[in-house]
Amino acid sequence: MAPSQDKDRVILFDTTLRDGEQSPGISLNAQEKLEIAQQLARLGVDVIEAGFPIASPGDFAAVQAIARGVEGPVIAGLARAFPEDINTAFAALKEAERLRIHTFISTSDIHIQHQMQNTRDDVRRMAREAVAHARSFCEDVEFSPMDATRSDVEFTAEIVQIAIEEGATTINIPDTVGYAVPHEYAAFLTRLYELVPGLRDVVVSVHCHDDLGLAVANSIAGVLAGARQVECAVNGIGERAGNAALEEIIMLIATRQAELGVHTGAVTQEIARTSRIVSRLTGYPVAPNKAIIGRNAFAHESGIHQDGVLKERSTFEIMDARAVGLDSNQLVLGKHSGRHALAQALAELGYEVSGPTLNQAFRRFKEIADKKKQVTAMDLEALLTDELREAAEEDGYTLEYFDVESSTRRPPHAKVGVRVPGGEVLEGSFGGDGPIDAIFHAINVATGVDARLREFRIGAVTGGQDALGETSIVVEVAGLSGSGQGVSTDIVEAAARGYVRALSNAVRRGRSEGEGAAVAGTP
Ligand code: KIV
Ligand code: ZN
């Protein structure tokens, strides 16, 4: 059932790890997904859609790890309206404290005729059987008529009625292709409430895509029409132009609560950190002018604005940067801090780290503290994400050492050692056009993997000349992409780490897709 009985409480259903992960170039491994899910729990979302378990063994393993390891939110898994999908979703979710099966089938004629190549009668039967089957496993079942906003509203109502009769507890109305405009989306929901009185006894949910830039506006229009669950993704990532941005939904509801008359259970101060972790792990940067979490979202350039804010903040600011956690960059550790102080600082940031991971994080912290005047919360967060990734690479590739010789007279020459699956360290060397080009080729030589660089971004974790450098890399291996990130005070090392991880993720993805079932009709 709904996590809350409060009629004005909007349930936050986060789909970063399912719809968000379907963004091109994103390939998170199970450890990375678990880390994001733990942060989503700290942010206070009510439901985490952890993945689509039948899609691949990797998806299954990640959903299972989240179901086992994340406390607080309901953990949901997606399933098409097929018994095998639903069985697999339940198998992945069954150890969760609270679980939900989310099953869906398209109701638009375009999808019925061209994508599924069946009939409205098939949809009636499959929807009924799917919800009944999911309810045989658990009480919390969500049903979505996919492409609802391009469907005949009467037929959608019929299918929604069937889903409610079979025991669906949440009915989600997706604007799958991001086609709706707010008043039209609200009118669609209003008409469904008229046609299906039983909708008032279940939670109605909105799920909007951003193809026309209206995902958040449509979602809020849906809430005003009566919906009490919003499906969204951190930083607005997702299929094509993405999903409604979670941080925008939270802050819109928090800032305009009096007008909207609803609230959420989010811990808004965790927004900035959640955004940074998702951006770092997915390799999707956040635009500087992005609402709520862009680095300029609270910056004032014009003299008139600066003057106004200095006199009275509310002249040009409608939110406080502290409310979204954008002030969390205070100094937390000094050069002489010990292992215990590091463990405590990490615990304050929400990371319980011990054993070899703590030792490794401490070694990296000391290296950074030697080079940087101040080690901030954001540095620690970046460093730990980097270490957790390293620890998760048991079946993958890790950078053991590297060296680049370069002079003004000779092209740079790189030598690397890469630990390959099985534990052996293989060496490779290469002379390239520049140090980074040389090192990437040397990694290909060492691993024997023909990885092609597709995207390469460099950024700084914080400001200042001694800032930690952060790279975000996408490579392609045999037609499959993988992304990886690296953090170091030395930008060449950050690039090498990011490249090895991207290569590792692409190879792992190839293995997993080779083993997995082909999933047609994936939303
Ligand atoms: O966009 C969509 O229709 C979906 C459904 C599976 C809810 O993602
Ligand atoms: Zn979607």
Side-chain angles (χ1 to χ4, degrees), residues 35 150 158 161 179 218 319 340 351 398 415 427 467:
E35 194 188 335
R150 291 193 304 164
E158 220 188 294
Q161 173 69 37
Y179 185 67
N218 282 335
M319 290 171 283
H340 183 64
Y351 299 107
T398 47
K415 190 155 74 173
E427 192 165 284

Side-chain angles (χ1 to χ4, degrees), residues 105 112 117-128:
I105 190 164
I112 294 173
Q117 298 180 333
N118 55 16
T119 63
R120 284 189 173 193
D121 269 344
D122 293 323
V123 174
R124 289 183 182 97
R125 178 183 49 78
M126 288 172 74
R128 188 176 292 286

Side-chain angles (χ1 to χ4, degrees), residues 1 3 12-14 17 33-34 36-38 40-41 45-53 59-60 62-78 89-90 92-102 138 140-142:
M1 267 310 282
L12 293 170
F13 177 108
D14 180 90
L17 298 172
K33 289 186 183 176
L34 183 60
I36 291 175
Q38 274 155 348
L40 288 169
V45 307
D46 301 290
V47 186
I48 295 175
E49 188 165 50
F52 189 12
D59 259 55
F60 183 95
V63 175
Q64 191 172 51
I66 292 168
R68 285 179 179 156
V70 177
E71 287 170 21
V74 172
I75 309 300
L78 187 69
F90 179 69
L93 291 166
K94 64 178 185 228
E95 289 172 59
E97 225 176 34
R98 292 184 296 157
L99 67 101
R100 173 181 299 184
I101 297 176
H102 175 192
C138 60
D140 189 347
V141 171
E142 173 167 333

Side-chain angles (χ1 to χ4, degrees), residues 357-407:
T357 313
L358 176 61
N359 294 343
Q360 184 66 4
F362 185 62
R363 192 183 60 70
R364 293 282 303 280
F365 161 70
K366 283 291 181 195
E367 280 168 18
I368 291 168
D370 275 346
K371 294 181 193 151
K372 254 184 132 270
K373 282 191 225 99
Q374 297 185 329
V375 179
T376 66
M378 266 158 77
D379 291 327
L380 284 184
E381 196 184 286
L383 184 144
L384 195 77
T385 320
D386 206 55
E387 277 316 314
L388 288 174
R389 255 185 253 133
E390 200 78 12
E393 281 296 346
E394 276 166 10
D395 63 338
Y397 299 79
T398 47
L399 182 73
E400 288 295 308
Y401 58 85
F402 76 97
D403 184 37
V404 187
E405 278 173 22
S406 75
S407 76

Side-chain angles (χ1 to χ4, degrees), residues 177-477:
V177 292
Y179 185 67
V181 292
H183 70 276
E184 183 190 26
Y185 188 56
F188 193 88
L189 290 186
T190 304
R191 184 73 186 125
L192 283 180
Y193 277 114
E194 284 163 10
L195 293 169
V196 188
L199 264 184
R200 306 226 167 257
D201 304 324
V202 297
V203 174
V204 173
S205 170
V206 292
H207 177 113
C208 300
H209 280 269
D210 209 31
D211 300 65
L212 294 172
L214 289 173
V216 170
N218 282 335
S219 302
I220 292 298
V223 168
L224 292 175
R228 285 295 176 268
Q229 175 175 286
V230 177
E231 304 201 353
C232 40
V234 178
N235 299 341
I237 61 171
E239 192 75 49
R240 305 180 312 280
N243 288 74
L246 172 69
E247 62 281 0
E248 293 178 27
I249 296 287
I250 294 174
M251 288 313 290
L252 175 52
I253 290 178
T255 309
R256 300 305 311 275
Q257 195 166 335
E259 169 67 21
L260 300 173
V262 291
H263 57 271
T264 73
V267 181
T268 61
Q269 291 78 4
E270 291 291 335
I271 286 178
R273 181 143 66 109
T274 311
S275 163
R276 283 196 298 271
I277 291 175
V278 169
S279 173
R280 181 168 291 136
L281 293 177
T282 58
Y284 266 49
V286 170
N289 63 333
K290 165 80 179 63
I292 317 296
I293 34 99
R295 71 167 181 271
N296 295 343
F298 293 86
H300 298 279
E301 187 69 14
S302 122
I304 295 176
H305 288 210
Q306 283 175 358
D307 180 53
V309 168
L310 285 175
K311 288 179 177 142
E312 164 55 44
R313 201 183 59 79
S314 62
T315 49
F316 288 97
E317 273 186 15
I318 58 165
M319 290 171 283
D320 186 338
R322 281 170 300 187
V324 299
L326 274 173
D327 61 331
S328 65
N329 199 21
Q330 65 275 59
L331 173 70
V332 286
L333 288 180
K335 191 173 169 159
H336 302 293
S337 305
R339 195 182 309 261
H340 183 64
L342 175 68
Q344 240 176 356
L346 290 174
E348 267 170 44
L349 289 172
Y351 299 107
E352 296 297 338
V353 187
S354 56
T357 313
L358 176 61
N359 294 343
Q360 184 66 4
F362 185 62
R363 192 183 60 70
R364 293 282 303 280
F365 161 70
K366 283 291 181 195
E367 280 168 18
I368 291 168
D370 275 346
K371 294 181 193 151
K372 254 184 132 270
K373 282 191 225 99
Q374 297 185 329
V375 179
T376 66
M378 266 158 77
D379 291 327
L380 284 184
E381 196 184 286
L383 184 144
L384 195 77
T385 320
D386 206 55
E387 277 316 314
L388 288 174
R389 255 185 253 133
E390 200 78 12
E393 281 296 346
E394 276 166 10
D395 63 338
Y397 299 79
T398 47
L399 182 73
E400 288 295 308
Y401 58 85
F402 76 97
D403 184 37
V404 187
E405 278 173 22
S406 75
S407 76
T408 43
R409 268 172 273 123
R410 274 188 298 134
H413 192 270
K415 190 155 74 173
V416 299
V418 180
R419 188 174 297 279
V420 299
E424 203 181 344
V425 176
L426 300 179
E427 192 165 284
S429 60
F430 199 87
D433 291 339
I436 290 186
D437 179 58
I439 218 158
F440 289 175
H441 278 95
I443 291 166
N444 281 8
V445 173
T447 56
V449 176
D450 183 18
R452 308 276 164 101
L453 185 66
R454 289 290 172 251
E455 281 177 41
F456 179 35
R457 275 189 296 273
I458 302 182
V461 173
T462 52
Q465 286 207 336
D466 61 354
L468 273 182
E470 184 169 28
T471 59
S472 181
I473 290 171
V474 178
V475 301
E476 202 175 291
V477 176

